[in-house]
Amino acid sequence: MIKKHIPNSITCCNLVSGCIATAFAFAGDAELALIWIIIGAVFDFFDGMSARLLGVSSPIGKELDSLADVVTFGVAPATILFSELSVLEYPAFLEPLRNYLPYAAFLVSAFSALRLAKFNLDERQATSFIGLPTPANALFWASLIVCNPSWLESSAYSVFIVLLLLGLSCALLVSELPMFALKFKHWGWKGNEVKYGFAALSVACLAFLGPLNAWWVIITLYLLGSVLLWLRAKA
């Protein structure tokens, strides 16, 4: 039966996209790596949707999806970050560590894998997320490096900001912070205000900043919005 293989085939396209993104990242082409991460994210969106529409969801599909996501949203962005840390200017006292510090980037891969393993076992994440989703983290890092804001390579001490953000993103991947998801149970406005508002803001950012440069801003806004919603719920 052909239709039962369609979702897994789409997932494999996600995996291949992640492999291509990683190859471009090792070659130092962050822009093409980001493009392939975005392509992978599109495949990742449609594999689950197609499985539900065709009624062919399976345990192997769930496991395959996570394995593909580890590559596309774990290894690929980590490699982009590795390449960036390899060319950043370092303060003089850190120069002896230049050949070693970039490998810290692969913590993103490890924490992404841990995040995905937790997601597979966590029944609380049917309609929302607990912790930063791996696609969001991948898009943040790839877009930030492609956009290359002035502070990123303007100072020898920028490496400390990058390493701080690296540690923060790894912590967020496995955190217990509730984060909203763009999953709609219905298409009405009531109950979906935050989702529609964020979708409109994302479109505006993409239109204003461009389809590659905007993602790190969008993910930052997503994180800040989730924190504000969490604080409001606790108040």
Side-chain angles (χ1 to χ4, degrees):
M1 197 170 175
I2 294 178
K3 74 174 185 179
K4 73 177 183 180
H5 298 296
I6 292 175
N8 289 346
S9 298
I10 296 174
T11 301
C12 288
C13 289
N14 172 18
L15 175 58
V16 171
S17 298
C19 293
I20 296 172
T22 303
F24 279 119
F26 272 124
D29 194 332
E31 184 170 314
L32 276 174
L34 171 56
I35 289 171
W36 280 100
I37 288 174
I38 293 172
I39 292 171
V42 173
F43 284 127
D44 184 53
F45 177 81
F46 283 108
D47 62 1
M49 176 183 290
S50 64
R52 289 188 294 272
L53 289 174
L54 296 172
V56 291
S57 297
S58 66
I60 193 172
K62 184 177 181 180
E63 298 304 321
L64 181 61
D65 182 66
S66 291
L67 291 171
D69 287 354
V70 167
V71 176
T72 305
F73 308 128
V75 177
T79 307
I80 294 173
L81 183 54
F82 170 83
S83 296
E84 182 67 15
L85 284 170
S86 298
V87 299
L88 278 179
E89 185 179 354
Y90 282 49
F93 71 92
L94 275 184
E95 277 297 331
L97 298 178
R98 171 175 288 281
N99 292 331
Y100 307 101
L101 271 180
Y103 290 98
F106 291 105
L107 287 171
V108 171
S109 303
F111 277 85
S112 294
L114 182 57
R115 151 78 192 171
L116 290 161
K118 290 180 63 178
F119 179 81
N120 284 350
L121 299 174
D122 195 339
E123 297 179 355
R124 300 172 296 169
Q125 302 191 54
T127 58
S128 61
F129 296 117
I130 305 294
L132 183 65
T134 54
N137 188 59
L139 289 169
F140 171 84
W141 279 113
S143 177
L144 177 68
I145 291 170
V146 167
C147 181
N148 193 10
S150 58
W151 58 265
L152 190 58
E153 295 182 357
S154 62
S155 166
Y157 292 91
S158 296
V159 65
F160 293 107
I161 300 177
V162 174
L163 291 174
L164 179 63
L165 288 174
L166 168 62
L168 179 60
S169 70
C170 287
L172 286 170
L173 283 167
V174 296
S175 71
E176 288 293 304
L177 176 66
M179 306 192 75
F180 67 89
L182 294 179
K183 298 179 180 180
F184 293 85
K185 290 184 177 179
H186 59 85
W187 299 107
W189 172 258
K190 188 173 178 58
N192 290 323
E193 298 89 345
V194 171
K195 298 171 186 177
Y196 279 125
F198 179 73
L201 184 59
S202 298
V203 170
C205 287
L206 288 167
F208 183 71
L209 298 174
L212 299 183
N213 294 339
W215 287 106
W216 75 276
V217 176
I218 291 171
I219 302 306
T220 301
L221 293 173
Y222 170 64
L223 178 59
L224 292 174
S226 295
V227 170
L228 289 174
L229 289 172
W230 175 65
L231 291 174
R232 189 175 72 175
K234 289 178 67 71

